[in-house]
Structures are given as structure tokens and as C-alpha cells.
Amino acid sequence: MSRKLMVRVPPSEFQITPETKIQWACYEQGLTTHAVSTTLGNLKSSLDSQNASFDEHLILLSGRLVSHQYKQVSKAQIKHLDKALPFLMEDELTEEVSCFHFASAVPTEPLRSSVESGTYKNTGSSSSSPSPTSQYLAVSAIKHTDMKALLRYLDDQALSPDQVLAEAEIPIAHGSSINVLLDKDSALLSVSGEAGLSMDAAAVGFALAHLQNSQPELSKLPVILQYDPGQANDEYQANLLQKTIQNLGWMVETTPLPGSVLNYLSEQFSNTVITGFCNLRTGQYCDHSKKSTSGKWVKGFMAAAACWLLLEIGLMTGNGLLFSSRAQQYWHQSAALYLEAFPKDQLIHNAVKRNPGSVDIQNRLKSRLNNTRADAKTASFLQWLSIISQQAQGAGLISPNSLSFNRQSQTLSMDFKANSLAQVEQFQVALKSKGFHGKLENAHQEPGGVIAQLTVGELP
């Protein structure tokens, strides 16, 4: 279980300075140490003198410094709470709302039930139950000057509070009773486990008289009056207040606290079931240096992922540079080999000098080879044509009608007219003597002679 440092600024203090009197105690495993009194400016030295260390720091402020109210708000106001909140508290404050810092929370059980049923009257509005489009909201307000001063003096001592709360939020009554917690000239008034009302001790009688008139059914509840016997005159003040309350017709039970008011509030705070406290250490006064464990885990993971990503990018960039360098090297080697075969290719010469890698050597070589084959085939066709023409003339009256040369099969198809079929056979023999074979594909007799189709190719 965590060790909590509970620091209280009592109602006797009206402003925050290094000389402001405070009390501190340690709460751990259901036990609170004896309260130590010191000043705000000497808090760190007081803690060091006790060799005290803590996991959480919590500050409790009295009603002298923090105003705490309950307000009925609409769903529309909830959506724009940051802007609506100051105007909700405007009637409760004695100065301009711009001078205050606000914190809010939705009250949790059992406080919500008592507020909505109309038992709790510190709403600053009508005590009727909220409509289906509204709800109750707990609101705390503190002057910016006080909040800044508090955090500044703590920061000067390397202390940073996790929560800054109004002590009036802490329920000090349990069950069916009205509880009055006396602290010198101030008091906290609470009804049936609700949050307390902070007021002067002299105003308790007037508050109970008003409660009798507005909610007479509460007059049957007993009043529990508690005080700190360790403080001078508190017992005397408690006896005077007891008589005042009894004269109003209330049953009063006066009991001393087993420890200080801070000890009592610390135990009540740690044992309460209410979680909807208004932490003033929020908004512009949030401590961004303190991060949750989950946040640290996520940020650690993100940092590791970022390092991995940077490493991966670095490796990819390095590989890219390496491959680029090798590609340039291989291109120059390919270009040198290509120019050995085709030394007059000016395109490759220009690429080597001005823009290496701009020409695809492989495609260039394929193009060159295809052109070379085409030139060779063209030369063989012309050679064939010369030989076949000579043999056609030697065979007599042979008149070619059409010629078709197939480069892939290296054959020549020719349609011609001869005087007779014997003349066609004579032409085949003449071709064979020159190293060609002539395959007769078709031949038919016509009145003027023979029309024949011959396929000519080189002999194997």
C-alpha cells in the first residue's frame, strides 16, 4: 500500500506564504502518524528531519481558501463545461470569475443520492431533483494567486502534490446523523455521510436553525460534535456550541477526537467510498512531469519502435547506396564490353561521358543483334533472287507473277507461268544444280500455258 503525505492548511490561514502554518502526517495501511506542525516554507526540512518519504502527496485546503459547491447543470453545459463552469459559480464568488481556477467532478455514491433527493442543500440552486436533461456537478474554486503561490513554494522544495482538494469534500458523518467537526473558530457541518459545509463556528447554530425550518424531518437526527482536545480552548468552544445546539431542540453528543483534525480527515478520506473529488491539480496546474506507468510503457515501446524504424531505414539506405554503387560499376563494365564489339556506337560513348546508367546496355545489345540478323537475311534474299532470276531466264519462257520470302523458314515462295509442265521440271533441275531445292506446291494447265507455285529453299 502506498504511503501518502497528507498536508493540511488549517482554517486559521487566509493566504499562502512561506510563513503559512500547516500540518502534515503520513497515512499508510489504515494508520496515520501523529500530525506535525510547521510552516509551508519549512515543509521539506520538517520531512527530512523525520526521514519521511512518500509515494503520493495530497494537500487539503480549508473553506478560507477554496469554495466548494454543488451545481445543477444541463447536458448542453456539460459539453462546454470549460466555458460554462465560471459562470455557474459567478453568484457564489466575491471577485471576478477570471481570478479563479475551477475543478469539477460528478459526485459518486452516496453523495449523489443525497444531493439529488434534496437532502444536501449546498447546491447554489434549487433543491429539486434534476430533470432528465441535467445532473449535479461538484465544483471547487481557488484564486489563481493562491494556487500559483502554493505550487511555487512546494516546487522550491522539490515537492509536487498529486491532489489538491477542498477539505469540505471529505464526508465526516456516517449513518443517520449530523456531524459538526470543530477546529478552533471554524467548523465543518455534514449530514448523513455527505460532503461538509465549511463555516465559522459561530454560524453553526444559524445553519442548524435554517435546516430545522427547511427540512424539519432532519430534526430527529442526533448531532455529533467532535473536537481536537489537543488544541487550546477547543473543548471550551465545544461546550458552548453544544448548549447553543441543545437550545434549538437538537440532541447533541460531544466527543473528543482520538487525534488531530488532520488525522481524522486523513482516515476519512482514505476510507471513503466517494471517488468523485474535485482535484484542483488539473488544467493549467496539472503536473505534466508525473506520468502513469502505462504511459511510460507506451512511450518506451514507441521509443523502441522509433529506434528500430530508424535502424531499418538506415540499413535500407545503406543497402540502396551499396546497390546503386555496384549498379554503376556493372554498367561501366557492360558499356566497356559493348564498345569493344561496337566501337562506333556514339550513343553509348555519350552516356559514358555525361550520364552513366542512362542507357540500357542489354536492350541496346539486343537491338544491335536483331539489326545484324536482319541485314544478313536481307543479303541472303538478294543473293537468292539473283540466282533464281538467272535460272528462270535459262529455263526459257518463265514469267514470275509474285515472290514471297519467309525469313524465319528461309524459303522463297514464287508463283509463275510456264509454257509447259516440262519447262517447270527443267526449272527445278536448274535450281538444284545451284544448291537449291524447288518443291512444286501447285500446277494447273491453262489455255496459255501452265500456272505453277514453287517453294524454293537451300539444300541441306
Side-chain angles (χ1 to χ4, degrees), residues 106-316:
V106 177
T108 56
E109 298 292 352
L111 182 57
R112 182 189 291 115
S113 299
S114 59
V115 169
E116 294 182 355
S117 65
T119 304
Y120 189 74
K121 292 296 184 178
N122 187 19
T123 62
S125 61
S126 170
S127 63
S128 60
S129 298
S131 66
T133 59
S134 66
Q135 68 180 63
Y136 280 104
L137 194 70
V139 184
S140 291
I142 185 174
K143 289 184 179 180
H144 285 292
T145 53
D146 291 333
M147 190 66 179
K148 290 178 180 178
L150 175 66
L151 297 179
R152 181 172 68 254
Y153 297 137
L154 290 174
D155 185 66
D156 290 343
Q157 302 171 76
L159 297 173
S160 179
D162 299 282
Q163 298 186 70
V164 178
L165 305 177
E167 65 180 20
E169 283 195 84
I170 301 175
I172 58 173
H174 300 281
S176 300
S177 63
I178 297 175
N179 189 287
V180 178
L181 179 61
L182 186 64
D183 185 13
K184 294 186 177 179
D185 296 329
S186 300
L188 281 176
L189 174 64
S190 179
V191 179
S192 300
E194 303 164 2
L197 297 175
S198 181
M199 62 186 69
D200 290 336
V204 172
F206 296 99
L208 292 175
H210 174 71
L211 201 59
Q212 277 181 323
N213 294 329
S214 60
Q215 294 174 278
E217 69 277 5
L218 296 180
S219 300
K220 300 178 182 179
L221 298 180
V223 176
I224 309 298
L225 177 59
Q226 296 176 292
Y227 66 95
D228 180 2
Q231 292 193 132
N233 297 324
D234 269 21
E235 184 176 2
Y236 175 74
Q237 288 275 10
N239 291 330
L240 291 179
L241 187 56
Q242 177 182 358
K243 293 179 181 179
T244 301
I245 299 172
Q246 285 175 337
N247 290 336
L248 294 172
W250 299 82
M251 294 183 297
V252 183
E253 179 183 345
T254 303
T255 58
L257 295 171
S260 67
V261 173
L262 174 58
N263 294 136
Y264 181 70
L265 291 175
S266 299
E267 293 172 3
Q268 295 299 107
F269 171 78
S270 300
N271 296 329
T272 184
V273 296
I274 294 178
T275 57
F277 289 109
C278 299
N279 185 9
L280 292 164
R281 189 72 154 118
T282 54
Q284 68 184 89
Y285 298 110
C286 179
D287 186 0
H288 298 287
S289 64
K290 294 187 176 180
K291 303 175 179 65
S292 65
T293 304
S294 60
K296 290 181 179 179
W297 183 87
V298 171
K299 291 209 170 182
F301 174 79
M302 294 298 291
C307 291
W308 176 84
L309 182 60
L310 289 174
L311 180 61
E312 189 71 16
I313 292 174
L315 289 174
M316 293 176 65

Side-chain angles (χ1 to χ4, degrees), residues 2 5 15 40 47 119 126 145 204 239 286 289 414 442 451:
S2 63
L5 171 63
Q15 59 181 346
L40 181 61
L47 295 174
T119 304
S126 170
T145 53
V204 172
N239 291 330
C286 179
S289 64
M414 60 182 298
N442 190 17
I451 302 299

